[in-house]
Coordinates of all heavy atoms in Angstrom, one line a residue:
V16 N 0.3 -18.0 -12.7 CA 0.9 -16.7 -12.9 C 0.3 -15.7 -11.9 O -0.9 -15.7 -11.7 CB 0.7 -16.2 -14.4 CG1 1.2 -14.8 -14.5 CG2 1.3 -17.2 -15.3
Q17 N 1.2 -15.0 -11.3 CA 0.7 -14.0 -10.3 C 0.6 -12.6 -10.9 O 1.4 -12.2 -11.7 CB 1.7 -14.0 -9.2 CG 1.4 -13.0 -8.1 CD 1.4 -13.6 -6.8 OE1 1.7 -14.8 -6.6 NE2 1.2 -12.8 -5.8
S18 N -0.4 -11.9 -10.5 CA -0.6 -10.5 -11.0 C -0.3 -9.5 -9.9 O -1.0 -9.6 -8.9 CB -2.0 -10.3 -11.6 OG -2.2 -9.0 -11.9
L19 N 0.6 -8.6 -10.1 CA 0.9 -7.6 -9.1 C 0.4 -6.3 -9.5 O 0.8 -5.8 -10.6 CB 2.4 -7.5 -8.8 CG 3.1 -8.8 -8.4 CD1 4.6 -8.6 -8.2 CD2 2.5 -9.3 -7.1
L20 N -0.5 -5.7 -8.8 CA -1.0 -4.3 -9.1 C 0.0 -3.3 -8.7 O 0.6 -3.4 -7.6 CB -2.3 -4.1 -8.4 CG -3.5 -5.0 -8.8 CD1 -4.7 -4.8 -8.0 CD2 -3.8 -4.8 -10.3
A21 N 0.2 -2.3 -9.5 CA 1.1 -1.2 -9.2 C 0.4 0.1 -9.1 O -0.7 0.3 -9.8 CB 2.2 -1.1 -10.2
D22 N 0.9 1.1 -8.4 CA 0.3 2.4 -8.3 C 1.4 3.5 -8.4 O 2.5 3.3 -7.8 CB -0.4 2.6 -7.0 CG -1.3 3.9 -7.0 OD1 -2.0 4.1 -8.0 OD2 -1.3 4.6 -6.0
L23 N 1.2 4.5 -9.3 CA 2.2 5.5 -9.5 C 2.1 6.6 -8.4 O 1.0 7.0 -8.1 CB 2.0 6.1 -10.9 CG 3.0 7.2 -11.4 CD1 4.4 6.6 -11.6 CD2 2.5 7.8 -12.7
S24 N 3.2 7.0 -7.9 CA 3.2 8.1 -6.9 C 2.7 9.4 -7.4 O 2.8 9.6 -8.6 CB 4.6 8.3 -6.3 OG 5.5 8.7 -7.3
P25 N 2.2 10.3 -6.6 CA 1.6 11.5 -7.1 C 2.7 12.4 -7.8 O 2.3 13.1 -8.7 CB 1.2 12.3 -5.8 CG 0.9 11.2 -4.8 CD 1.9 10.1 -5.1
D26 N 3.9 12.3 -7.5 CA 5.0 13.0 -8.2 C 5.4 12.3 -9.5 O 6.2 12.9 -10.2 CB 6.2 13.3 -7.3 CG 6.9 12.1 -6.9 OD1 6.6 11.0 -7.4 OD2 7.8 12.2 -6.0
G27 N 4.9 11.2 -9.8 CA 5.2 10.4 -11.0 C 6.6 9.8 -11.0 O 7.1 9.4 -12.1
Q28 N 7.3 9.7 -9.9 CA 8.7 9.3 -9.9 C 8.8 7.8 -9.4 O 9.9 7.3 -9.5 CB 9.5 10.2 -9.0 CG 9.4 11.7 -9.4 CD 9.9 11.8 -10.8 OE1 11.0 11.4 -11.2 NE2 9.2 12.5 -11.7
R29 N 7.8 7.3 -8.7 CA 7.9 6.0 -8.1 C 6.7 5.1 -8.3 O 5.6 5.6 -8.4 CB 8.1 6.1 -6.6 CG 9.4 6.8 -6.2 CD 9.4 7.4 -4.8 NE 8.4 8.5 -4.7 CZ 7.9 8.9 -3.6 NH1 8.2 8.4 -2.5 NH2 7.0 9.9 -3.7
L30 N 6.9 3.8 -8.4 CA 5.8 2.8 -8.4 C 5.9 2.0 -7.1 O 7.0 1.6 -6.7 CB 6.0 1.9 -9.6 CG 5.7 2.4 -11.0 CD1 6.1 1.4 -12.0 CD2 4.2 2.8 -11.1
V31 N 4.7 1.7 -6.6 CA 4.6 0.8 -5.5 C 3.9 -0.5 -6.1 O 3.0 -0.3 -6.8 CB 3.9 1.3 -4.2 CG1 2.5 1.7 -4.5 CG2 4.0 0.3 -3.1
F32 N 4.4 -1.6 -5.7 CA 3.8 -2.8 -6.3 C 4.0 -4.0 -5.3 O 4.9 -3.9 -4.4 CB 4.3 -3.2 -7.6 CG 5.8 -3.5 -7.6 CD1 6.2 -4.8 -7.5 CD2 6.7 -2.5 -7.7 CE1 7.6 -5.1 -7.5 CE2 8.1 -2.8 -7.7 CZ 8.5 -4.1 -7.6
G33 N 3.2 -5.0 -5.5 CA 3.4 -6.2 -4.6 C 2.1 -6.7 -4.1 O 1.0 -6.2 -4.4
D34 N 2.2 -7.7 -3.2 CA 1.0 -8.3 -2.6 C 1.4 -9.1 -1.3 O 2.6 -9.0 -0.9 CB 0.2 -9.2 -3.5 CG 1.0 -10.4 -4.0 OD1 2.0 -10.8 -3.4 OD2 0.6 -10.9 -5.1
E35 N 0.5 -9.8 -0.7 CA 0.8 -10.5 0.5 C 1.6 -11.8 0.3 O 2.0 -12.4 1.2 CB -0.5 -10.9 1.2 CG -1.1 -9.7 2.0 CD -2.2 -10.1 2.9 OE1 -2.9 -11.1 2.7 OE2 -2.4 -9.3 3.9
W36 N 1.8 -12.1 -1.0 CA 2.6 -13.3 -1.3 C 4.1 -13.0 -1.6 O 5.0 -13.9 -1.4 CB 2.0 -14.0 -2.5 CG 0.6 -14.5 -2.3 CD1 -0.5 -14.0 -2.8 CD2 0.2 -15.6 -1.4 NE1 -1.6 -14.6 -2.4 CE2 -1.2 -15.6 -1.5 CE3 0.9 -16.4 -0.6 CZ2 -1.9 -16.5 -0.8 CZ3 0.1 -17.4 0.1 CH2 -1.3 -17.4 0.0
V37 N 4.4 -11.8 -2.0 CA 5.8 -11.4 -2.4 C 6.3 -10.2 -1.6 O 7.4 -9.9 -1.6 CB 6.0 -11.2 -3.9 CG1 5.6 -12.4 -4.7 CG2 5.1 -10.0 -4.3
G38 N 5.4 -9.5 -0.8 CA 5.8 -8.3 -0.1 C 5.5 -7.1 -1.0 O 5.1 -7.2 -2.1
L39 N 5.8 -5.9 -0.5 CA 5.6 -4.7 -1.2 C 7.0 -4.1 -1.5 O 7.8 -4.1 -0.6 CB 4.7 -3.7 -0.4 CG 3.3 -4.1 -0.2 CD1 2.6 -3.1 0.7 CD2 2.6 -4.2 -1.6
E40 N 7.1 -3.5 -2.7 CA 8.3 -2.8 -3.0 C 8.0 -1.5 -3.7 O 6.9 -1.3 -4.3 CB 9.1 -3.7 -4.0 CG 9.7 -5.0 -3.4 CD 10.6 -5.7 -4.2 OE1 11.1 -5.2 -5.2 OE2 10.8 -6.9 -3.9
V41 N 9.0 -0.6 -3.7 CA 8.9 0.7 -4.4 C 10.0 0.7 -5.4 O 11.2 0.4 -5.1 CB 9.1 1.9 -3.4 CG1 9.1 3.2 -4.1 CG2 7.9 1.9 -2.4
F42 N 9.6 1.1 -6.6 CA 10.6 1.2 -7.8 C 10.7 2.6 -8.1 O 9.7 3.3 -8.4 CB 10.1 0.4 -9.0 CG 11.0 0.4 -10.1 CD1 12.1 -0.3 -10.1 CD2 10.7 1.2 -11.2 CE1 13.0 -0.3 -11.2 CE2 11.6 1.3 -12.3 CZ 12.7 0.5 -12.3
N43 N 11.9 3.2 -8.1 CA 12.2 4.5 -8.4 C 12.5 4.6 -9.9 O 13.4 4.0 -10.4 CB 13.4 5.0 -7.6 CG 13.7 6.5 -7.9 OD1 13.7 7.0 -9.0 ND2 13.8 7.2 -6.8
L44 N 11.6 5.3 -10.6 CA 11.7 5.4 -12.1 C 12.9 6.2 -12.6 O 13.4 6.0 -13.7 CB 10.4 6.0 -12.7 CG 9.2 5.2 -12.4 CD1 7.9 6.0 -12.8 CD2 9.2 3.9 -13.2
N45 N 13.4 7.1 -11.8 CA 14.6 7.9 -12.1 C 15.9 7.1 -12.0 O 16.8 7.3 -12.9 CB 14.7 9.2 -11.3 CG 13.6 10.2 -11.6 OD1 13.2 10.3 -12.7 ND2 13.2 10.9 -10.6
T46 N 16.0 6.3 -11.0 CA 17.2 5.6 -10.7 C 17.2 4.1 -11.1 O 18.2 3.4 -11.0 CB 17.6 5.7 -9.2 OG1 16.6 5.1 -8.4 CG2 17.8 7.2 -8.8
S47 N 16.0 3.7 -11.4 CA 15.8 2.2 -11.8 C 16.2 1.3 -10.6 O 16.7 0.3 -10.8 CB 16.5 1.8 -13.0 OG 16.0 2.5 -14.1
T48 N 15.9 1.8 -9.4 CA 16.2 1.0 -8.2 C 14.9 0.5 -7.5 O 13.9 1.2 -7.5 CB 17.1 1.7 -7.2 OG1 16.4 2.9 -6.8 CG2 18.5 2.1 -7.8
R49 N 15.0 -0.6 -6.9 CA 13.9 -1.2 -6.1 C 14.3 -1.2 -4.6 O 15.4 -1.4 -4.3 CB 13.6 -2.6 -6.5 CG 13.0 -2.7 -7.9 CD 13.0 -4.1 -8.4 NE 12.4 -5.1 -7.5 CZ 12.2 -6.4 -7.9 NH1 12.6 -6.8 -9.1 NH2 11.7 -7.2 -7.0
A50 N 13.3 -0.9 -3.8 CA 13.5 -1.0 -2.3 C 12.3 -1.7 -1.7 O 11.2 -1.5 -2.0 CB 13.6 0.4 -1.8
R51 N 12.7 -2.6 -0.8 CA 11.6 -3.4 -0.1 C 10.9 -2.4 0.9 O 11.5 -1.8 1.7 CB 12.3 -4.5 0.7 CG 11.4 -5.3 1.7 CD 10.4 -6.2 1.0 NE 11.1 -7.3 0.3 CZ 10.3 -8.2 -0.2 NH1 9.0 -8.2 -0.1 NH2 10.9 -9.2 -0.9
L52 N 9.6 -2.4 0.8 CA 8.8 -1.6 1.6 C 8.2 -2.4 2.8 O 8.2 -1.9 3.9 CB 7.6 -0.9 0.8 CG 6.6 -0.1 1.6 CD1 7.3 1.1 2.1 CD2 5.5 0.3 0.7
A53 N 7.8 -3.6 2.5 CA 7.2 -4.4 3.6 C 7.4 -5.8 3.3 O 7.3 -6.3 2.1 CB 5.7 -4.1 3.7
N54 N 7.7 -6.6 4.4 CA 7.8 -8.0 4.2 C 6.4 -8.7 4.1 O 5.4 -8.0 4.1 CB 8.6 -8.6 5.4 CG 8.0 -8.4 6.7 OD1 6.7 -8.1 6.8 ND2 8.7 -8.4 7.8
L55 N 6.4 -10.0 4.0 CA 5.1 -10.7 3.8 C 4.1 -10.4 4.9 O 3.0 -10.2 4.7 CB 5.4 -12.2 3.6 CG 6.2 -12.6 2.4 CD1 6.3 -14.1 2.4 CD2 5.6 -12.0 1.1
R56 N 4.6 -10.4 6.2 CA 3.8 -10.2 7.3 C 3.1 -8.8 7.4 O 2.0 -8.7 7.8 CB 4.6 -10.5 8.6 CG 3.7 -10.5 9.9 CD 4.6 -10.8 11.1 NE 5.6 -9.9 11.3 CZ 5.6 -8.9 12.1 NH1 4.4 -8.6 12.7 NH2 6.6 -8.1 12.3
N57 N 3.8 -7.8 6.9 CA 3.3 -6.4 6.9 C 2.9 -5.9 5.6 O 3.0 -4.7 5.3 CB 4.4 -5.5 7.5 CG 4.7 -5.8 8.9 OD1 3.8 -6.1 9.7 ND2 5.9 -5.7 9.4
S58 N 2.6 -6.8 4.7 CA 2.2 -6.5 3.3 C 0.7 -6.5 3.1 O 0.0 -6.7 4.0 CB 2.9 -7.5 2.4 OG 2.9 -7.0 1.1
G59 N 0.3 -6.3 1.9 CA -1.1 -6.3 1.5 C -1.3 -6.3 0.0 O -0.3 -6.2 -0.8
W60 N -2.5 -6.2 -0.5 CA -2.8 -6.2 -1.9 C -3.2 -4.8 -2.3 O -3.6 -4.0 -1.5 CB -4.0 -7.1 -2.1 CG -3.9 -8.5 -1.7 CD1 -4.1 -9.0 -0.4 CD2 -3.4 -9.6 -2.5 NE1 -3.9 -10.4 -0.4 CE2 -3.4 -10.7 -1.6 CE3 -3.0 -9.7 -3.8 CZ2 -3.0 -12.0 -2.1 CZ3 -2.6 -11.0 -4.2 CH2 -2.6 -12.1 -3.4
N61 N -3.1 -4.6 -3.6 CA -3.6 -3.4 -4.3 C -3.1 -2.1 -3.6 O -3.9 -1.3 -3.1 CB -5.1 -3.4 -4.3 CG -5.7 -2.3 -5.2 OD1 -5.0 -1.8 -6.1 ND2 -6.9 -2.0 -4.9
P62 N -1.8 -1.9 -3.5 CA -1.2 -0.7 -2.8 C -1.6 0.6 -3.5 O -1.6 0.6 -4.8 CB 0.3 -0.9 -2.8 CG 0.5 -1.8 -4.0 CD -0.7 -2.7 -4.1
K63 N -1.9 1.6 -2.7 CA -2.2 2.9 -3.3 C -1.5 4.0 -2.5 O -1.5 4.0 -1.3 CB -3.7 3.2 -3.2 CG -4.6 2.2 -4.0 CD -6.1 2.4 -3.7 CE -6.9 1.4 -4.4 NZ -8.3 1.6 -4.1
W64 N -1.0 5.0 -3.3 CA -0.3 6.2 -2.7 C -1.4 7.2 -2.1 O -2.4 7.4 -2.8 CB 0.5 6.9 -3.7 CG 1.8 6.2 -4.1 CD1 1.8 5.4 -5.2 CD2 3.0 6.2 -3.5 NE1 3.1 4.9 -5.3 CE2 3.9 5.4 -4.3 CE3 3.6 6.8 -2.4 CZ2 5.2 5.2 -4.0 CZ3 4.9 6.6 -2.1 CH2 5.7 5.8 -2.9
S65 N -1.0 7.8 -1.1 CA -1.8 9.0 -0.6 C -1.5 10.2 -1.5 O -0.6 10.2 -2.2 CB -1.5 9.3 0.9 OG -0.2 9.8 1.0
A66 N -2.4 11.2 -1.4 CA -2.2 12.4 -2.2 C -0.9 13.1 -2.0 O -0.3 13.6 -3.0 CB -3.4 13.4 -1.9
S67 N -0.3 13.1 -0.8 CA 0.9 13.7 -0.6 C 2.1 12.9 -1.0 O 3.3 13.3 -1.1 CB 1.1 14.0 0.9 OG 1.3 12.8 1.7
G68 N 1.9 11.6 -1.2 CA 3.0 10.6 -1.5 C 3.7 10.2 -0.3 O 4.7 9.5 -0.4
K69 N 3.3 10.6 0.9 CA 3.9 10.2 2.2 C 3.5 8.8 2.6 O 4.3 8.1 3.3 CB 3.6 11.2 3.2 CG 4.2 11.0 4.6 CD 3.9 12.1 5.6 CE 4.5 11.7 6.9 NZ 4.1 12.7 7.9
W70 N 2.3 8.4 2.3 CA 1.8 7.1 2.8 C 1.4 6.2 1.7 O 1.0 6.7 0.6 CB 0.6 7.4 3.7 CG 0.9 8.3 4.8 CD1 0.6 9.6 4.9 CD2 1.5 7.9 6.1 NE1 1.0 10.1 6.1 CE2 1.6 9.1 6.9 CE3 2.1 6.7 6.5 CZ2 2.2 9.1 8.1 CZ3 2.7 6.8 7.8 CH2 2.7 7.9 8.6
I71 N 1.4 4.9 2.0 CA 0.9 3.9 1.1 C -0.1 3.0 1.9 O 0.3 2.5 3.0 CB 2.0 3.1 0.5 CG1 3.0 4.0 -0.3 CG2 1.5 1.9 -0.4 CD1 4.3 3.3 -0.7
A72 N -1.2 2.8 1.3 CA -2.2 1.9 2.0 C -2.3 0.6 1.1 O -2.2 0.7 -0.1 CB -3.6 2.5 2.2
A73 N -2.5 -0.5 1.8 CA -2.7 -1.8 1.1 C -3.8 -2.6 1.8 O -3.9 -2.6 3.0 CB -1.4 -2.6 1.0
D74 N -4.6 -3.3 1.0 CA -5.6 -4.1 1.6 C -5.1 -5.4 2.1 O -4.5 -6.2 1.4 CB -6.6 -4.4 0.4 CG -7.8 -5.3 0.8 OD1 -8.0 -5.5 2.0 OD2 -8.5 -5.7 -0.1
K75 N -5.3 -5.7 3.4 CA -4.9 -7.0 4.0 C -6.1 -7.9 3.8 O -6.8 -8.2 4.8 CB -4.4 -6.8 5.4 CG -3.1 -6.0 5.4 CD -2.5 -5.9 6.8 CE -1.9 -7.2 7.3 NZ -0.9 -7.8 6.5
Y76 N -6.4 -8.3 2.6 CA -7.6 -9.1 2.3 C -7.9 -10.3 3.2 O -9.0 -10.4 3.6 CB -7.5 -9.6 0.8 CG -8.6 -10.3 0.3 CD1 -9.8 -9.7 0.0 CD2 -8.6 -11.7 0.2 CE1 -10.9 -10.4 -0.4 CE2 -9.7 -12.4 -0.2 CZ -10.8 -11.8 -0.5 OH -11.9 -12.5 -0.9
F77 N -6.9 -11.1 3.4 CA -7.1 -12.3 4.2 C -7.4 -11.9 5.7 O -7.9 -12.7 6.4 CB -6.0 -13.2 4.1 CG -5.8 -13.8 2.7 CD1 -4.7 -13.5 2.0 CD2 -6.8 -14.5 2.1 CE1 -4.5 -14.0 0.7 CE2 -6.7 -15.0 0.9 CZ -5.5 -14.8 0.2
R78 N -7.0 -10.7 6.1 CA -7.2 -10.3 7.5 C -8.4 -9.3 7.7 O -8.7 -8.9 8.7 CB -5.9 -9.8 8.1 CG -4.9 -10.9 8.2 CD -3.5 -10.3 8.5 NE -2.5 -11.3 8.5 CZ -1.9 -11.7 7.4 NH1 -2.2 -11.2 6.2 NH2 -0.9 -12.6 7.4
G79 N -8.9 -8.9 6.5 CA -10.1 -8.0 6.6 C -9.7 -6.6 7.1 O -10.5 -6.0 7.8
S80 N -8.5 -6.1 6.8 CA -8.1 -4.8 7.3 C -7.3 -4.1 6.2 O -7.0 -4.6 5.2 CB -7.4 -4.9 8.6 OG -6.1 -5.6 8.4
V81 N -6.9 -2.9 6.5 CA -6.0 -2.1 5.6 C -4.8 -1.7 6.4 O -4.9 -1.4 7.6 CB -6.7 -0.8 5.2 CG1 -5.8 0.1 4.4 CG2 -8.0 -1.1 4.3
I82 N -3.6 -1.9 5.8 CA -2.4 -1.5 6.5 C -1.9 -0.2 5.8 O -2.0 0.0 4.6 CB -1.3 -2.6 6.4 CG1 -0.1 -2.2 7.3 CG2 -0.9 -2.9 5.0 CD1 0.7 -3.4 7.6
V83 N -1.4 0.7 6.6 CA -0.8 2.0 6.0 C 0.7 2.0 6.4 O 1.0 1.8 7.5 CB -1.5 3.2 6.6 CG1 -0.9 4.5 6.1 CG2 -3.0 3.2 6.3
L84 N 1.5 2.3 5.4 CA 2.9 2.3 5.5 C 3.5 3.6 5.1 O 3.1 4.2 4.1 CB 3.5 1.2 4.6 CG 3.0 -0.2 4.9 CD1 2.4 -0.7 3.6 CD2 4.1 -1.1 5.3
A85 N 4.6 4.0 5.8 CA 5.4 5.1 5.3 C 6.4 4.5 4.4 O 6.7 3.3 4.4 CB 6.0 5.8 6.5
E86 N 7.1 5.3 3.5 CA 8.0 4.8 2.6 C 9.3 4.2 3.3 O 10.0 3.4 2.8 CB 8.5 5.8 1.6 CG 9.1 5.2 0.4 CD 9.4 6.1 -0.8 OE1 8.8 7.2 -0.8 OE2 10.1 5.7 -1.7
N87 N 9.5 4.6 4.6 CA 10.6 4.0 5.3 C 10.2 2.6 5.9 O 11.0 2.0 6.6 CB 11.0 5.0 6.5 CG 10.0 5.2 7.5 OD1 8.9 4.5 7.5 ND2 10.2 6.1 8.4
G88 N 9.0 2.1 5.6 CA 8.6 0.8 6.1 C 7.9 0.8 7.4 O 7.4 -0.3 7.8
K89 N 7.8 1.9 8.1 CA 7.0 1.9 9.4 C 5.6 1.8 9.0 O 5.1 2.4 8.1 CB 7.3 3.2 10.2 CG 8.8 3.2 10.6 CD 9.0 4.2 11.7 CE 10.4 4.2 12.0 NZ 10.7 4.3 13.4
S90 N 4.8 1.0 9.8 CA 3.5 0.7 9.4 C 2.5 0.7 10.6 O 3.0 0.6 11.8 CB 3.4 -0.7 8.7 OG 3.7 -1.7 9.7
F91 N 1.3 0.8 10.3 CA 0.2 0.6 11.3 C -1.0 0.1 10.6 O -1.2 0.3 9.4 CB -0.1 1.8 12.1 CG -0.6 3.0 11.3 CD1 -1.9 3.2 11.1 CD2 0.3 3.9 10.9 CE1 -2.4 4.3 10.4 CE2 -0.1 5.0 10.1 CZ -1.4 5.2 9.9
A92 N -1.8 -0.8 11.2 CA -3.0 -1.4 10.6 C -4.2 -0.6 11.0 O -4.3 0.0 12.1 CB -3.1 -2.8 11.1
L93 N -5.2 -0.5 10.1 CA -6.4 0.1 10.3 C -7.5 -1.0 10.5 O -7.3 -2.1 10.0 CB -6.8 1.0 9.2 CG -6.0 2.2 9.0 CD1 -6.5 3.0 7.8 CD2 -6.0 3.1 10.2
G94 N -8.6 -0.6 11.0 CA -9.7 -1.6 11.1 C -10.6 -1.3 12.2 O -11.8 -1.4 12.1
G95 N -10.1 -0.8 13.3 CA -10.9 -0.5 14.5 C -11.8 -1.6 14.9 O -11.4 -2.7 15.1
K96 N -13.1 -1.2 14.9 CA -14.1 -2.2 15.3 C -14.7 -2.9 14.1 O -15.7 -3.6 14.2 CB -15.2 -1.5 16.1 CG -14.7 -0.9 17.4 CD -15.8 -0.2 18.2 CE -15.2 0.3 19.4 NZ -16.2 1.0 20.2
C97 N -14.2 -2.7 12.9 CA -14.6 -3.4 11.7 C -14.2 -4.8 11.7 O -13.1 -5.1 12.2 CB -14.1 -2.7 10.4 SG -14.6 -1.0 10.2
T98 N -15.0 -5.7 11.3 CA -14.6 -7.1 11.2 C -14.1 -7.5 9.8 O -13.4 -8.4 9.7 CB -15.8 -8.0 11.5 OG1 -16.9 -7.7 10.6 CG2 -16.3 -7.8 12.9
H99 N -14.4 -6.7 8.8 CA -13.9 -7.0 7.5 C -14.0 -5.7 6.6 O -15.1 -5.2 6.4 CB -14.7 -8.1 6.8 CG -14.2 -8.5 5.5 ND1 -13.0 -9.3 5.4 CD2 -14.5 -8.3 4.2 CE1 -12.7 -9.5 4.2 NE2 -13.6 -8.9 3.4
I100 N -12.9 -5.2 6.1 CA -12.8 -4.1 5.2 C -12.8 -4.6 3.8 O -11.9 -5.5 3.5 CB -11.6 -3.2 5.5 CG1 -11.8 -2.6 6.9 CG2 -11.5 -2.1 4.5 CD1 -10.6 -1.8 7.4
I101 N -13.7 -4.2 2.9 CA -13.7 -4.7 1.6 C -13.1 -3.8 0.5 O -12.8 -4.2 -0.6 CB -15.1 -5.1 1.2 CG1 -16.1 -4.0 1.3 CG2 -15.6 -6.3 2.0 CD1 -17.5 -4.2 0.7
D102 N -13.0 -2.5 0.8 CA -12.5 -1.5 -0.2 C -12.0 -0.3 0.6 O -12.5 0.0 1.7 CB -13.5 -1.2 -1.2 CG -12.9 -0.6 -2.5 OD1 -11.6 -0.6 -2.6 OD2 -13.6 0.0 -3.3
F103 N -11.1 0.4 0.0 CA -10.6 1.7 0.6 C -10.1 2.6 -0.5 O -9.9 2.2 -1.7 CB -9.4 1.4 1.5 CG -8.1 1.0 0.8 CD1 -7.2 1.9 0.5 CD2 -7.9 -0.4 0.5 CE1 -6.0 1.5 -0.2 CE2 -6.8 -0.8 -0.2 CZ -5.8 0.2 -0.5
E104 N -10.1 3.9 -0.2 CA -9.7 4.9 -1.2 C -9.1 6.1 -0.4 O -9.6 6.5 0.6 CB -10.8 5.4 -2.0 CG -10.4 6.2 -3.3 CD -9.6 5.4 -4.2 OE1 -10.0 4.2 -4.6 OE2 -8.6 5.9 -4.7
W105 N -8.0 6.7 -0.9 CA -7.4 7.9 -0.4 C -8.2 9.1 -0.8 O -8.7 9.2 -2.0 CB -6.0 8.1 -0.8 CG -5.0 7.2 -0.1 CD1 -4.4 6.1 -0.7 CD2 -4.5 7.3 1.2 NE1 -3.5 5.6 0.2 CE2 -3.6 6.3 1.4 CE3 -4.7 8.2 2.2 CZ2 -2.9 6.1 2.6 CZ3 -4.0 8.0 3.4 CH2 -3.1 7.0 3.6
S106 N -8.3 10.1 0.0 CA -8.9 11.4 -0.4 C -8.0 12.0 -1.4 O -6.7 11.9 -1.3 CB -9.0 12.3 0.8 OG -9.2 13.7 0.4
P107 N -8.5 12.6 -2.5 CA -7.6 13.3 -3.5 C -6.9 14.5 -3.0 O -6.0 15.0 -3.7 CB -8.5 13.5 -4.7 CG -9.9 13.6 -4.1 CD -9.9 12.7 -2.9
V108 N -7.3 15.1 -1.9 CA -6.8 16.3 -1.4 C -5.9 16.2 -0.2 O -4.8 16.7 -0.1 CB -8.0 17.3 -1.1 CG1 -7.4 18.6 -0.6 CG2 -8.8 17.5 -2.3
R109 N -6.3 15.4 0.8 CA -5.6 15.2 2.0 C -5.2 13.7 2.2 O -5.7 12.9 1.5 CB -6.5 15.6 3.2 CG -6.8 17.0 3.2 CD -7.6 17.3 4.5 NE -7.9 18.7 4.6 CZ -8.8 19.1 5.5 NH1 -9.4 18.3 6.3 NH2 -9.1 20.4 5.6
D110 N -4.4 13.5 3.2 CA -4.0 12.1 3.5 C -5.0 11.5 4.4 O -4.7 11.1 5.6 CB -2.6 12.1 4.1 CG -1.6 12.3 3.1 OD1 -1.8 12.2 1.9 OD2 -0.4 12.6 3.5
Q111 N -6.3 11.4 4.0 CA -7.4 10.8 4.7 C -7.8 9.6 4.0 O -7.9 9.6 2.7 CB -8.5 11.8 4.9 CG -8.1 12.9 5.8 CD -9.3 13.9 6.0 OE1 -10.1 14.1 5.1 NE2 -9.3 14.6 7.1
L112 N -8.1 8.5 4.7 CA -8.4 7.2 4.1 C -9.9 6.9 4.4 O -10.3 6.9 5.6 CB -7.5 6.2 4.6 CG -7.5 4.8 3.9 CD1 -7.0 4.9 2.5 CD2 -6.6 3.9 4.7
A113 N -10.6 6.5 3.4 CA -12.0 6.1 3.7 C -12.1 4.6 3.3 O -11.4 4.1 2.4 CB -13.0 6.8 2.8
Y114 N -12.8 3.8 4.1 CA -12.9 2.4 3.8 C -14.3 1.9 4.1 O -15.0 2.4 4.9 CB -11.8 1.6 4.5 CG -11.8 1.8 6.0 CD1 -12.4 1.0 6.9 CD2 -11.0 2.8 6.5 CE1 -12.3 1.2 8.3 CE2 -10.9 3.0 7.9 CZ -11.5 2.2 8.8 OH -11.5 2.4 10.1
L115 N -14.7 0.8 3.4 CA -16.0 0.1 3.6 C -15.7 -1.2 4.3 O -14.8 -1.9 4.0 CB -16.7 -0.2 2.3 CG -17.0 1.0 1.4 CD1 -17.5 0.5 0.0 CD2 -18.1 1.9 2.1

């Protein structure tokens, strides 16, 4: 059985859920519709919304990095000179991401 972690958007209207095995999706609670956010290659675990709701970050556990996605699916990976990122958290005020 697979467990998918979900995170509620700051406005309380959307859920993001998924992982690197099924991809990431956004579920709109008002319209009961689902939209594919990222395919398997551009996906990750434990997705979390930024404070503004503009960005979603997910842990690319097997690759040791964090991927950040806009709701339109455009993405970029973080990691820089890190060899393995083990945890991340959005700032509660700004769209800044901290990671270990």
Side-chain angles (χ1 to χ4, degrees):
V16 174
Q17 180 131 357
S18 173
L19 301 177
L20 296 174
D22 191 44
L23 185 64
S24 64
D26 64 7
Q28 304 301 311
R29 296 162 291 161
L30 287 171
V31 62
F32 64 94
D34 62 21
E35 284 192 333
W36 299 107
V37 299
L39 292 176
E40 294 188 17
V41 174
F42 181 77
N43 186 309
L44 297 169
N45 291 328
T46 62
S47 297
T48 56
R49 291 168 50 175
R51 171 74 65 175
L52 177 64
N54 61 22
L55 298 180
R56 187 174 62 90
N57 293 325
S58 193
W60 302 88
N61 192 23
K63 298 177 186 175
W64 290 94
S65 67
S67 72
K69 181 179 176 183
W70 302 101
I71 298 167
D74 179 11
K75 294 189 69 62
Y76 179 75
F77 295 117
R78 292 169 187 85
S80 64
V81 174
I82 189 162
V83 177
L84 303 119
E86 197 169 349
N87 65 8
K89 296 196 181 221
S90 66
F91 60 91
L93 294 178
K96 296 181 181 179
C97 296
T98 57
H99 187 73
I100 295 173
I101 59 172
D102 198 10
F103 69 95
E104 194 65 49
W105 285 105
S106 164
V108 179
R109 294 185 181 168
D110 286 346
Q111 295 177 330
L112 191 66
Y114 53 94
L115 299 171

